[in-house]
Amino acid sequence: MAYDEVLARRIRQLLGDQPGTTERAMFGGLGFMVDGHLAVAAGSRGALMVRADETDGAHPLLAPMEMRGRTMSGWYETAAGAEIADDVLAELVEMALRRVATLPPKG
């Protein structure tokens, strides 16, 4: 399954004014990078992937992300095809931006 293009467009609109934002196709999804750090993605399984700390990751729409049977520390995702209201999507993207702002600069 390819990523949800409507979800990707909505993320793109939210990140429109964010300095240092780039997009990268990866693993069948579309990742949104901020200053070289992957922050949020429209995943290949139709889910929204969000980088967040444990406190933010407790959001009711998010579950710890698993890849190849392994839980990915600091990554969370929605259910595939989840209906995400505009205000909730904005909250989740902002959560990811807060998290990547704490990461060291990329070389």
Side-chain angles (χ1 to χ4, degrees), residues 37-39 45 49-58 62-77 99-100 102-103:
H37 293 286
L38 182 59
R45 297 177 289 193
M49 298 166 39
V50 180
R51 182 176 236 161
D53 64 28
E54 287 182 26
T55 303
D56 285 338
L62 298 177
M65 187 176 142
E66 289 189 21
M67 188 174 281
R68 296 185 180 159
R70 190 178 123 215
T71 300
M72 305 300 293
S73 178
W75 281 98
Y76 300 87
E77 65 182 344
R99 177 65 182 116
V100 297
T102 69
L103 300 175

Side-chain angles (χ1 to χ4, degrees), residues 7 14 17 21 24 26 31 41-42 46 52 59 65 75 78-79 81 91 93:
L7 177 59
L14 289 169
D17 295 335
T21 301
R24 182 176 295 170
M26 48 182 37
H59 190 283
M65 187 176 142
W75 281 98
T78 64
E91 177 185 351
V93 169

